[in-house]
Amino acid sequence: MVRSRTAVLTWASAAALAVATVLATAPVAAAEPATTAAYPAGATATRYSGLAFDACTAPPLTTIRAWTASPYRALGVYLSGVNRTCAQPQLTASWVASVSALKWRLLPVHKGLQPSCGARASDAKISTSATTARSQGTAAATQAVTAAKALGMLPGSALYNDIENYSQTNATCRTSVLSYVSGWTKELHRLGWLSGVYMNLSLGAKQLADVYTSTGYARPDALWVARYDGVDSLKGWAGVADGKWAVHQRAKQFRGGHDETYGGVRVNIDTDRLDTPVATVAYPYRTTAAVTARSGPTTTAAAVTSYARDATVRVVCQTSGPKVGTSTVWDKLNTGAYVADHYVDTPSTTSWSPPLPRCTYPYQIASATGVTERGGPGTSYTALGTAPNGALAWVTCQKSGTAVGGTKVWDRLDNGHYVSDHYVSTPSGTTYSKPVPRC
């Protein structure tokens, strides 16, 4: 990602300070390092595991179609930032919708201020003041969210801040970078988005790993490293222990700029291996009959609104619920309401319909020793494994169970296991946390 990219957005330090002033009186998400993501009603997270590429300029839709012959099904797009340099004529809400409909996932990148002791001399830089750097990170998050929303991306998406190489021996510079990333993370969480960071493995990522449990910095949800060694493994990273960012929280750019050709179309790309959260979008479908949208994925949940036959609904994810017609699948809409999939013209009438993701709400594990995953919502259920500190708990629903640390709430994960909500950085430490549904 060190290739040149022309500035498209401007940086206004006065605006950054104004944002910081407003936020000084705003609610704080939670104490570092595991800050709470405040997902709004229509949010969900989307995950991708597989090969991806990123190009300086988002390719035309014709190229994406041609590249169905490639091994890639995800691509990085540069949506904002003062140091973003390539023009993005293709990157529109229509392009995002069309690419998503072709079952591609998107990895949104913000290339904003860069370290004062690294990157290019011409780049706009992060302040050497830790306090100002934190405010700049907050403003960067606001800018990236605004750009992502304009492209049709939704809360629950992961946004990645591109931080290029910097000196590892300059303590002032290092502290300002960590403060900037912390401000970025806390503000994204406050707005209901996931925080990702891109760094060189040896010239940045190790420093982030060193403060993984620090109470002075908010911890990002996902780490995307650059190391051009041709090895696409997401484990065995020098300086970053395998237990950090361990549960679908890693990506690696393992080959730098080079040309590849598929379907007769050549593109200059970087190559990545991902197992990480990406962008969430809504997919338009039509109702096949008059249907009631409800506050939860069940026929007993309160009615929110109704849709006539042939109405367009925007589905963000699918989850399980009581069987209606031939299916136990329920569709969550961008409004936060749910409708039985039986009444929506998704591809499958009996099961899940790609590219729709399953509804999940990732929160970081906040326990120094990790948390035990169990077969049910209680301490008497069989232990099935351990999720390490800082790992993402990919929560699908919540259920009452054995009391632990002042709460009876247990979180069901997307692997079917349960963990006590006491050890998860959900908004409430004592009761259910919206918008997570009940199991």
Side-chain angles (χ1 to χ4, degrees):
M1 283 195 191
V2 294
R3 295 171 297 172
S4 175
R5 293 169 164 92
T6 29
V8 183
L9 298 176
T10 59
W11 180 265
S13 57
L17 292 175
V19 170
T21 301
V22 171
L23 292 174
T25 58
V28 176
E32 287 84 345
T35 60
T36 296
Y39 301 118
T44 191
T46 302
R47 198 167 70 219
Y48 173 78
S49 180
L51 288 173
F53 74 89
D54 58 275
C56 191
T57 299
L61 190 58
T62 53
T63 297
I64 302 301
R65 291 194 180 101
W67 274 48
T68 55
S70 77
Y72 308 109
R73 284 301 177 271
L75 67 149
V77 291
Y78 293 83
L79 52 83
S80 59
V82 65
N83 288 315
R84 180 181 76 159
T85 52
C86 281
Q88 302 292 344
Q90 306 297 327
L91 193 53
T92 64
S94 176
W95 183 90
V96 167
S98 297
V99 170
S100 299
L102 293 172
K103 300 184 181 180
W104 286 73
R105 301 300 190 192
L106 297 173
L107 192 68
V109 183
H110 173 85
K111 189 169 184 185
L113 298 176
Q114 294 299 309
S116 61
C117 58
R120 300 171 302 177
S122 60
D123 285 340
K125 299 299 179 71
I126 297 169
S127 172
T128 54
S129 161
T131 300
T132 303
R134 195 176 296 266
S135 298
Q136 291 172 329
T138 299
T142 302
Q143 185 185 49
V145 166
T146 298
K149 284 183 174 179
L151 293 172
M153 297 176 188
L154 301 174
S157 296
L159 304 180
Y160 290 80
N161 201 317
D162 179 348
I163 306 291
E164 295 293 343
N165 304 351
Y166 64 97
S167 169
Q168 302 300 282
T169 58
N170 186 322
T172 299
C173 176
R174 182 173 65 247
T175 298
S176 70
V177 170
L178 295 174
S179 298
Y180 175 83
V181 170
S182 184
W184 160 266
T185 297
K186 287 191 76 170
E187 180 63 0
L188 285 180
H189 283 179
R190 191 185 75 85
L191 297 172
W193 300 64
L194 290 170
S195 166
V197 178
Y198 167 94
M199 285 183 167
N200 182 281
L201 179 59
S202 59
L203 298 174
K206 181 183 181 303
Q207 300 295 336
L208 198 61
D210 286 346
V211 297
Y212 189 79
T213 58
S214 170
T215 56
Y217 303 103
R219 181 172 49 224
D221 301 296
L223 178 61
W224 179 11
V225 303
R227 184 169 180 81
Y228 300 153
D229 55 7
V231 179
D232 69 351
S233 176
L234 298 180
K235 293 185 176 181
W237 293 353
V240 182
D242 287 346
K244 297 178 178 180
W245 296 288
V247 183
H248 309 297
Q249 296 166 270
R250 290 189 170 205
K252 182 181 179 182
Q253 191 178 78
F254 61 90
R255 187 179 180 190
H258 64 284
D259 289 346
E260 291 191 22
T261 303
Y262 297 98
V265 180
R266 184 175 63 185
V267 182
N268 186 268
I269 66 169
D270 298 328
T271 307
D272 311 276
R273 167 68 66 179
L274 274 58
D275 183 14
T276 190
V278 291
T280 291
V281 298
Y283 298 84
Y285 294 100
R286 298 189 72 80
T287 56
T288 58
V291 60
T292 298
R294 300 186 177 277
S295 61
T298 172
T299 52
T300 58
V304 174
T305 189
S306 59
Y307 294 95
R309 181 188 178 93
D310 290 328
T312 297
V313 291
R314 301 183 62 79
V315 181
V316 298
C317 60
Q318 295 185 311
T319 191
S320 296
K323 189 173 186 178
V324 176
T326 58
S327 179
T328 58
V329 174
W330 283 67
D331 300 332
K332 182 180 178 180
L333 309 183
N334 63 333
T335 61
Y338 295 81
V339 294
D341 188 60
H342 176 69
Y343 299 112
V344 183
D345 68 346
T346 52
S348 175
T349 58
T350 58
S351 187
W352 314 105
S353 293
L356 288 168
R358 306 287 179 88
C359 300
T360 54
Y361 310 88
Y363 301 95
Q364 290 185 25
I365 299 295
S367 169
T369 56
V371 61
T372 301
E373 298 182 12
R374 298 188 177 274
T379 53
S380 63
Y381 286 89
T382 303
L384 301 176
T386 302
N389 184 34
L392 285 180
W394 295 81
V395 180
T396 60
C397 60
Q398 295 183 314
K399 190 172 185 177
S400 181
T402 304
V404 177
T407 182
K408 292 185 177 182
V409 175
W410 283 69
D411 302 329
R412 189 177 192 273
L413 309 181
D414 66 346
N415 62 6
H417 301 176
Y418 287 82
V419 295
S420 169
D421 189 60
H422 176 66
Y423 301 110
V424 182
S425 57
T426 50
S428 175
T430 58
T431 187
Y432 299 101
S433 293
K434 294 181 178 181
V436 183
R438 307 284 181 91
C439 296

